Amino acid sequence: GTYPSAYDGALFFSDYTRNCIWAMKAGAGGLPDPSRIETFVAGAAGPVDLQAGPGGDLFYADFDGGTIRRIRFAGPY
């Protein structure tokens, strides 16, 4: 996908109540490490049903707005 290699092996999950999407980055063994959680998207609109698309980008259903949203990485590489 279009995300930096720092997110390889990360587990992404949405939080409808906090309107954000989190990334749990991989640890030394390559598995997601609960001590390495960070906010990936702050201010996400009612995120539910997070899915990876065919190009590797993440998409989520905006429960409140009734739309599908694509997450594009906008940070520095």
Side-chain angles (χ1 to χ4, degrees):
T2 59
Y3 307 129
S5 61
Y7 293 103
D8 289 351
L11 172 69
F12 296 91
F13 55 99
S14 61
D15 187 336
Y16 174 78
T17 303
R18 293 184 177 138
N19 287 322
C20 67
I21 296 173
W22 303 90
M24 183 186 305
K25 291 184 171 182
L31 296 174
D33 182 348
S35 70
R36 300 191 66 209
I37 295 174
E38 64 179 48
T39 303
F40 189 66
V41 177
V48 295
D49 196 24
L50 187 62
Q51 298 285 327
D57 287 339
L58 294 173
F59 293 80
Y60 70 91
D62 169 2
F63 183 78
D64 299 325
T67 60
I68 302 298
R69 296 182 178 241
R70 180 180 183 178
I71 302 169
R72 295 178 188 253
F73 190 79
Y77 286 86

